[in-house]
Amino acid sequence: MKKIAVLTSGGDSPGMNAAVRAVVRKAIYEGVEVIGVNRGYAGLIEGDFITLGASAVSDIINRGGTFLRSARCEEFRTKEGRQKAADQLRKEGAEGLVVIGGDGSFTGAMLLTNETGIKTIGVPGTIDNDIACTDDSIGYDTAMNTIIDAITKIRDTASSHERAFVIEAMGRHAGFLTLAAGLAGGAESILVPEIKFNIDEVCDKVQKGYEKGKIHSIILVAEGVEFEGNEFETNRDVNESNAFTIGRIINERTGFDTRVSILGHIQRGGSPTGRDRLLASRLGAAAVDAMLAGETNKMVGLIHNKIEVSDIKDAIEGKKEFDKDLYELANILSI
Ligand code: F6P
């Protein structure tokens, strides 16, 4: 193999730059040329490439976002779009493609390989940490620390004003990030999509905490939270985030002055933590190793601190198990 391409795709995550850097430098070390694809699959279809030498990736290990930029591309969802992408890679002489992203990006990579024979290796990059076949994905640790920092700051003002705060974290379909940040941030209640919550229990906890002398209450909610019972449904305004409905009900039931804080895309930015830089560096280099070993349709991950190369299909279709023990522990520790 003489030349490979690398792209970042889907929602960006802190550490993607460090992963691109590792791909480029490891490939150069192995005598392989690297081209970067701008704007994910959209740029791939258009042939929007740049040559990446070792110095092109200087000073990016510390930067959040992705300097290659990212996109969610409709055309790549079509067979024609993927064929165009393969033609562009072949025209450029690139024999393989490293895709840094989440499960949607991996599905695109798998279809590209199956339909056109272009070799692909996936590197998991998403703050959601919902990819199977790896313990952690790039960006998760940084986002977790961003949320913990936000909880710490909000707790200050919550205590000053004796308020309850409903804080919404990212995660439409997965609560891994919310659970970890909620536990490490000391939230009183943690609501995630994997476990339906009961609004009565949430209100009871706020009330009991108040009676025990707590002067604040933090309820950390994932975007895609699921609830049980009709009562929540009746009170719910479909045009607003669930966090606001939860906040309103808590206020009505407990009398606790309540505020809502939606953390939003602040969770996707910022300089990556040491842990994310380390993970990105190891996985980026491992992707090149896998490519040069002739692998394709694979994802590189880290399991029990060891690099593992898995079928990308398993990473896409395998369900990462939600840690119920950790969830239980968070409940125990927040009494
Ligand atoms: O998948 C990563 C993620 O940040 C989710 O947590 C969130 O629900 C979604 O992307 C937001 O996507 P967008 O930036 O396109 O609004």
Side-chain angles (χ1 to χ4, degrees), residues 11-12 72 126-128 170-173 177 223 265 268:
D12 61 353
R72 304 197 195 265
T126 165
I127 65 164
D128 293 347
M170 273 189 166
R172 278 183 293 219
H173 309 291
L177 180 62
E223 275 171 296
H265 287 78
R268 287 237 298 262

Side-chain angles (χ1 to χ4, degrees), residues 151-169:
I151 294 175
T152 304
K153 286 174 174 152
I154 287 173
R155 180 185 279 122
D156 288 345
T157 174
S159 298
S160 305
H161 291 267
E162 298 181 15
R163 283 173 172 159
F165 262 87
V166 181
I167 305 175
E168 186 192 88

